[in-house]
Amino acid sequence: RPDNYIEISNFYTATVYQKGAEVIRLLYNILGPAGFRKGTDLYFARHDGQAVTCEDWLQAMKDANPLVDLEQFKLWYSQAGTPHLDVQVQNDDANRCIHLHFEQTVPDTP
């Protein structure tokens, strides 16, 4: 969600819908089925029939799951595009281990 926009039709693109679904899937995977359900139940109890914000959604998830840190998700609503994750795997057969290197890049936000 940009801080400002030129035309409202830019909000209704495939990227916006795909990214929104991705954020919800990530929350589901972090919270698990029971935690996600608690969050959605709280969200609907608080906001059914209202015009709400992304912050309202995230706050309900946080309030229903107080032991989980969801602060990083605020960035998903303000950053442009979807982050790209690069993973490099290095096998160390001699020591019977695998080394993983993760690098995340994010497109520039206009």
Side-chain angles (χ1 to χ4, degrees):
R1 177 195 60 201
D3 291 330
N4 54 56
Y5 57 92
I6 296 171
E7 186 171 327
I8 193 68
S9 64
N10 292 340
F11 276 29
Y12 303 103
T13 66
T15 300
V16 169
Y17 283 103
Q18 289 169 357
K19 185 175 176 180
E22 186 69 15
V23 171
I24 291 171
R25 185 187 65 80
L26 287 169
L27 283 170
Y28 179 86
N29 286 335
I30 288 171
L31 300 175
F36 188 79
R37 178 60 190 253
K38 284 184 357 186
T40 55
D41 286 349
L42 181 57
Y43 173 78
F44 288 118
R46 285 181 180 171
H47 303 292
D48 189 26
Q50 298 178 6
V52 296
T53 65
C54 298
E55 289 79 15
D56 294 327
W57 164 257
L58 196 53
Q59 190 62 52
M61 293 294 161
K62 287 169 55 175
D63 290 348
N65 298 277
L67 300 179
V68 180
D69 181 9
L70 298 176
E71 286 299 310
Q72 74 274 16
F73 281 93
K74 290 180 180 177
L75 294 174
W76 276 78
Y77 294 113
S78 59
Q79 291 174 334
T82 302
H84 174 78
L85 184 64
D86 181 49
V87 179
Q88 296 177 6
V89 179
Q90 182 182 10
N91 291 317
D92 183 349
D93 293 331
N95 293 312
R96 299 183 64 188
C97 65
I98 296 175
H99 299 276
L100 299 174
H101 174 77
F102 295 88
E103 183 175 347
Q104 179 177 306
T105 56
V106 180
D108 290 337
T109 299

